[in-house]
């Protein structure tokens, strides 16, 4: 069990709920200071995106942030350097896509991640059927490979995801790409309830969590939330202070 999973399990087992903010690495303003401020705002872990030119899971806000980061010349090593230099006291996971991982080579990518004190890896376009090599290599370095579960997945596939994921299971709240929604979809509860008897891992809901009220609602049935687009929208608008203030509002709304 890696540090990410141990942290989230401890929080869950204490009857508390986790708040995991996401930010896009390499975007102007997403620096060591912002990571430290998110940790100080009450994040239980932080997810940092490594930008890729075809972020197929992501909606407009994160697509824009990823494109701008790439235009600025951001490379995976730059994002990892920011994480290493931030030295935050909460676990940090990176989210990216298969292409950057395989282009660098799984071992080289994970070695660099481990050296940067990354504790988990999320690769949303890598299906569970093809993730074994990454899972094994990550586990050998003490890194948790977080797998995603989406609405409509067959029961046997949910069980496989629940068995093989590490850190937590990323429960995709709704059909479609990332982006804040006006309401929490019923599919979020249905997915968590379907997974609950199939895994002992913490179950965190992400994709579409648009407000602190929605986060609090999700935490009535899930073990925590991942919030990205709502925060990055503030950063993209040139208001990183507003992103930190919103993160504090999410933390205050989530049961502690």
């Amino acid at each position: 069990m890696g540090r990410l999973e141990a942290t989230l399990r401890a929080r869950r087992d204490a009857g508390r709920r986790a708040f995991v903010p996401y930010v896009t690495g390499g975007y102007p303003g997403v620096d060591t200071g912002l990571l430290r401020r998110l940790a100080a705002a009450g994040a239980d872990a932080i997810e940092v995106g490594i930008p890729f030119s075809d972020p197929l899971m992501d909606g407009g806000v994160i697509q824009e942030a990823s494109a701008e980061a790439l235009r600025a010349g951001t490379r995976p090593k730059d994002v990892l350097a920011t994480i290493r230099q931030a030295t935050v006291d909460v676990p940090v996971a990176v989210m990216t896509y298969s292409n950057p991982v395989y282009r660098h080579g799984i071992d080289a990518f994970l070695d660099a991640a481990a050296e940067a004190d990354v504790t988990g890896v999320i690769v949303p376009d890598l299906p569970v059927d093809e993730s074994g090599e990454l899972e094994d290599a990550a586990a050998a370095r003490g890194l948790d490979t977080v797998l995603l579960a989406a609405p409509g997945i067959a029961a046997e596939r949910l069980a496989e995801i629940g068995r093989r994921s590490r850190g937590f299971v990323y429960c995709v709240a709704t059909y479609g790409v990332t982006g804040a929604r006006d309401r929490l979809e019923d599919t979020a509860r249905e997915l968590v309830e379907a997974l609950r008897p199939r895994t002992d891992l913490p179950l965190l809901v992400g994709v579409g969590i648009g407000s602190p009220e929605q986060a609090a609602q999700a935490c009535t049935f899930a073990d925590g939330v991942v919030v990205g687009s709502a925060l990055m929208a503030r950063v993209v608008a040139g208001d990183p202070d507003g992103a930190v203030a919103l993160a504090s509002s999410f933390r205050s709304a989530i049961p502690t």
Side-chain angles (χ1 to χ4, degrees), residues 113-201:
E115 289 170 5
D117 294 326
V118 167
T119 62
V121 179
I122 306 169
V123 185
D125 63 339
L126 185 64
V128 66
D129 316 78
E130 301 173 15
S131 62
E133 184 180 4
L134 179 67
E135 293 169 27
D136 291 344
R141 294 163 172 81
L143 304 180
D144 291 323
T145 304
V146 177
L147 301 182
L148 284 78
I153 291 180
E156 59 270 19
R157 194 170 182 84
L158 279 181
E160 182 73 357
I161 291 169
R163 182 180 69 82
R164 289 174 49 181
S165 189
R166 294 293 179 267
F168 63 96
V169 179
Y170 195 128
C171 301
V172 178
T174 185
Y175 296 99
V177 296
T178 62
R181 307 295 202 274
D182 293 333
R183 59 183 292 271
L184 184 66
E185 299 290 342
D186 293 339
T187 47
R189 180 186 290 272
E190 293 165 2
L191 179 59
V192 170
E193 290 180 348
L195 268 165
R196 189 70 73 186
R198 294 179 167 88
T199 183
D200 185 45
L201 281 172

Side-chain angles (χ1 to χ4, degrees), residues 5 14 25 56 59 64 71 76 84 88-89 105 123-124 139-141 178 191 195-199 217 220 222 241 253:
E5 182 172 331
L56 57 87
E64 179 182 349
R71 283 193 292 269
R84 181 177 62 251
V88 294
D89 59 0
V123 185
R141 294 163 172 81
T178 62
L191 179 59
L195 268 165
R196 189 70 73 186
R198 294 179 167 88
T199 183
Q217 181 185 354
T220 63
D241 290 345

Side-chain angles (χ1 to χ4, degrees), residues 63-138:
Q63 284 186 20
E64 179 182 349
S66 295
E68 180 61 29
L70 291 172
R71 283 193 292 269
T74 299
R75 297 292 182 264
K77 66 179 182 180
D78 302 317
V79 178
L80 295 176
T82 298
I83 294 169
R84 181 177 62 251
Q85 293 162 11
T87 59
V88 294
D89 59 0
V90 299
V92 178
V94 292
M95 194 283 278
T96 190
Y97 291 88
S98 298
N99 186 286
V101 174
Y102 284 98
R103 182 170 181 177
H104 283 78
I106 289 177
D107 289 332
F109 179 86
L110 293 175
D111 282 343
E115 289 170 5
D117 294 326
V118 167
T119 62
V121 179
I122 306 169
V123 185
D125 63 339
L126 185 64
V128 66
D129 316 78
E130 301 173 15
S131 62
E133 184 180 4
L134 179 67
E135 293 169 27
D136 291 344

